[in-house]
Amino acid sequence: MKRMFAMLLAVGWGAGAQAADLLGIYREATTADARYASARLQREAGQEKVVQARAGLLPSLTASAGTTYSSVDATQPLVREYGYNTNSYSLQLTQPLFRAQNWVAYEQGKLGTELADLQFVAAEMDLIVRTTQAYFDLLGAQDVLTTVTRLKTAAGEQLQLSKKSFEVGTVTVTDVNDAQSRYDIAAAQEIAAQNDVNVKREALRVLTGKEPPQLAGLRTGVMLAQPQPAVVDSWAQAAQDGNLDVQAQQLNTSIAEREVARVRAAHLPTVDAVASYGRSHATNGSSGNPSEGKTWSVGVQASLPLYQGGGTQSKVRESRALSDKAREDLETARRAAAQSARQSFLGVTSGIAQVKGYEAAVLSSRSALESNRLGYQVGVKINMDVLNAQTQLAQTEQQLAKARYDTIMAQVKLKQAVGTLSLKDLEEINALLER
């Protein structure tokens, strides 16, 4: 009895619970998605690049200490043997005055930190895209399951009617076999559709770390807007400049160019200001009297590398080649961004056209269904005609929903291609869902 009461309570709660929306799923993904968490930690690590590079410009302080035991075996003027300890410690302060490679490394560090920030923004956009894709993939799979379930039910009704009609001799066995075939096909399609729903639910669960709840669907008659500006070349040009992969590659190119300067600077002299303080204490093994000493020194040290076995020249050639490679990668990124923008733009415009076409087809299919039902009632149509009309309507409604989902995803990917996708865009999509 208690178990039955608990089940009834759960059913009642589920029926009254509000469906989860896209924004809620995204917020859960920001705390549960492993890829996003990895990007956040990568950004934290990237913040240290500029700190590490700046250390090469700041003074360094080194402390050292030691103790030494010495044993002396003397023969002049007297034969004797003794030992003593020497304890010492020192501090050395070094301030780089001229180290060209360190300055270049500092500039690289700043660019590296900027790159880490940019990559995290790209990860945020990627999470928005993945969440939206998983959300509408599940809605689409559920739509397909609903459609095939309706068709299976209709086919089952037609099968039972055919069997009864065959018993009274109004239809042939061929009609019964045809109805059985339709039902079997619908049953197989339902199994496949249910499996696809399970797969799509699992994909969403990977993002949020929990079993997906009931999802809010698109409102009936949702209107989707055309891209503005409505010129594909404008979006392609914007992607070549604003795409985050392009911006990241621009930073990589700048880092690679500075690497050439940093490696070449190994030919230049280095100048450091050095100050040191030392103190030693020794026990005099021969006289028994201890001795102490203190030393101070302040000065400037300069060094000039003359020959390193050809290694420096080799590194310069290597860094030049990598710099050229980075520029080619930048051009590749620009072309890929423009292509992605064009594809997404065409996906939006063609998708909106498809939505309008399917909307008209739904109206036509509904009219056809009503006509076939009326014809069946007056005897000019058979039940199979009604079933075919029901099938046509259900499939057209499902195709209309898919066209809307695909168009929304094209809009999201278009914004991602030009580097402007943000939480605001997700909120606008969320406003299209049922409440």
Side-chain angles (χ1 to χ4, degrees):
M1 186 69 182
K2 291 182 178 179
R3 182 178 180 184
M4 181 177 295
F5 176 77
M7 292 175 63
L8 291 174
L9 183 62
V11 171
W13 179 88
Q18 185 177 6
D21 59 11
L22 178 59
L23 201 57
I25 295 295
Y26 172 74
R27 287 169 178 162
E28 291 181 353
T30 58
T31 61
D33 182 61
R35 191 190 304 182
Y36 182 74
S38 174
R40 183 171 58 249
L41 295 173
Q42 183 63 43
R43 176 178 177 268
E44 292 179 8
Q47 299 299 312
E48 301 302 322
K49 290 186 177 295
V50 66
V51 178
Q52 296 167 9
R54 187 169 55 237
L57 305 177
L58 300 178
S60 61
L61 182 63
T62 304
S64 61
T67 180
T68 304
Y69 176 78
S70 302
S71 177
V72 179
D73 187 4
T75 57
Q76 294 294 334
L78 300 175
V79 178
R80 62 187 184 278
E81 181 179 353
Y82 61 90
Y84 63 92
N85 281 328
T86 301
N87 300 317
S88 63
Y89 66 86
S90 64
L91 292 174
Q92 179 169 305
L93 177 68
T94 302
Q95 170 62 60
L97 297 179
F98 179 76
R99 286 183 176 265
Q101 60 268 45
N102 289 14
W103 280 102
V104 177
Y106 176 59
E107 294 296 327
Q108 288 179 307
K110 291 192 293 184
L111 292 173
T113 298
E114 186 178 347
L115 177 60
D117 291 336
L118 187 65
Q119 289 172 335
F120 180 68
V121 175
E124 289 180 321
M125 288 190 185
D126 178 67
L127 182 61
I128 291 176
V129 173
R130 290 188 291 118
T131 302
T132 307
Q133 186 73 68
Y135 189 96
F136 286 114
D137 280 350
L138 180 53
L139 285 184
Q142 290 173 342
D143 290 341
V144 173
L145 178 59
T146 300
T147 298
V148 297
T149 301
R150 287 166 54 188
L151 296 179
K152 177 188 173 185
T153 301
E157 294 173 353
Q158 174 63 25
L159 176 60
Q160 295 301 320
L161 181 59
S162 297
K163 289 180 178 179
K164 290 180 181 179
S165 300
F166 177 73
E167 291 175 356
V168 298
T170 57
V171 299
T172 66
V173 68
T174 303
D175 296 320
V176 177
N177 292 337
D178 184 56
Q180 183 68 55
S181 174
R182 281 177 173 265
Y183 178 79
D184 292 340
I185 292 174
Q189 290 175 338
E190 185 182 39
I191 295 173
Q194 182 61 64
N195 181 69
D196 191 46
V197 168
N198 294 337
V199 171
K200 297 303 190 297
R201 289 179 66 85
E202 179 63 19
L204 197 58
R205 190 190 67 80
V206 169
L207 283 175
T208 62
K210 62 178 64 174
E211 186 65 21
Q214 180 184 355
L215 301 182
L218 285 177
R219 297 197 313 269
T220 303
V222 164
M223 301 298 294
L224 303 177
Q226 292 281 357
Q228 295 299 327
V231 180
V232 64
D233 290 339
S234 298
W235 289 93
Q237 183 60 47
Q240 289 182 335
D241 299 327
N243 182 271
L244 294 192
D245 288 340
V246 173
Q247 294 184 37
Q249 193 54 49
Q250 287 174 334
L251 291 174
N252 282 327
T253 301
S254 297
I255 292 173
E257 290 173 349
R258 283 167 173 77
E259 181 65 13
V260 177
R262 191 190 69 81
V263 173
R264 188 183 291 117
H267 289 295
L268 301 177
T270 61
V271 182
D272 300 323
V274 180
S276 63
Y277 169 77
R279 185 171 182 177
S280 63
H281 178 275
T283 57
N284 194 322
S286 59
S287 64
N289 296 323
S291 62
E292 293 187 1
K294 299 180 182 179
T295 59
W296 292 85
S297 66
V298 177
V300 175
Q301 293 181 349
S303 63
L304 177 64
L306 298 178
Y307 182 66
Q308 304 297 325
T312 301
Q313 291 87 342
S314 176
K315 290 180 180 179
V316 170
R317 292 191 297 270
E318 178 190 26
S319 60
R320 282 176 177 169
L322 293 176
S323 178
D324 293 338
K325 175 184 178 299
R327 281 190 288 271
E328 295 300 327
D329 291 342
L330 174 57
E331 181 60 26
T332 300
R334 283 176 172 159
R335 294 180 183 181
Q339 180 186 20
S340 177
R342 291 179 185 276
Q343 289 177 342
S344 299
F345 180 90
L346 295 176
V348 175
T349 54
S350 64
I352 291 176
Q354 289 181 38
V355 167
K356 292 180 179 179
Y358 282 127
E359 287 174 342
V362 166
L363 295 177
S364 301
S365 298
R366 285 175 181 169
S367 298
L369 177 59
E370 293 299 324
S371 298
N372 279 276
R373 283 174 174 170
L374 181 59
Y376 177 72
Q377 292 173 359
V378 299
V380 298
K381 292 286 186 178
I382 62 174
N383 196 51
M384 188 63 69
D385 295 326
V386 177
L387 181 59
N388 289 336
Q390 289 175 332
T391 301
Q392 181 64 38
L393 176 59
Q395 291 178 344
T396 305
E397 288 176 338
Q398 186 267 319
Q399 290 169 339
L400 171 59
K402 183 179 184 302
R404 287 194 175 115
Y405 301 153
D406 291 344
T407 303
I408 291 174
M409 283 309 307
Q411 290 175 331
V412 170
K413 292 180 179 180
L414 180 60
K415 293 291 186 68
Q416 182 190 31
V418 298
T420 61
L421 183 62
S422 67
L423 186 60
K424 181 181 177 182
D425 298 298
L426 201 65
E427 292 171 347
E428 292 176 354
I429 297 173
N430 199 67
L432 304 177
L433 303 177
E434 294 176 343
R435 298 301 180 184

